[in-house]
Amino acid sequence: MAQDFTGKVAIVTGGASGIGAAVCRQLAAGGAKVAVADYNLEAAQALAGELGEAIAVQLDVADAAAVQRMVQATVERFG
């Protein structure tokens, strides 16, 4: 049974593969708008394309400025 995430926005780091990708899929299936954040931008873009209301953001979580850009891009897109 999927949870209802309608109206929610989620950022998933490491979202392009493995457990992160599974989390992205579950959130999207529940109605969330998803930011797929990953170092591998191509993989993040591919997954975001599958999900519907989703964006891909390239991210190195060790880079504080990149984290800020990720949040900013997510807010600009989804509010």
Side-chain angles (χ1 to χ4, degrees), residues 16-66:
S17 64
I19 294 170
V23 169
C24 287
R25 287 184 177 99
Q26 280 295 108
L27 289 165
K33 299 171 186 172
V34 180
V36 182
D38 202 279
Y39 190 77
N40 183 340
L41 182 58
E42 289 181 11
Q45 290 170 328
L47 180 59
E50 292 177 23
L51 299 179
E53 273 200 275
I55 60 170
V57 182
Q58 187 169 32
L59 175 69
D60 176 354
V61 294
D63 180 351

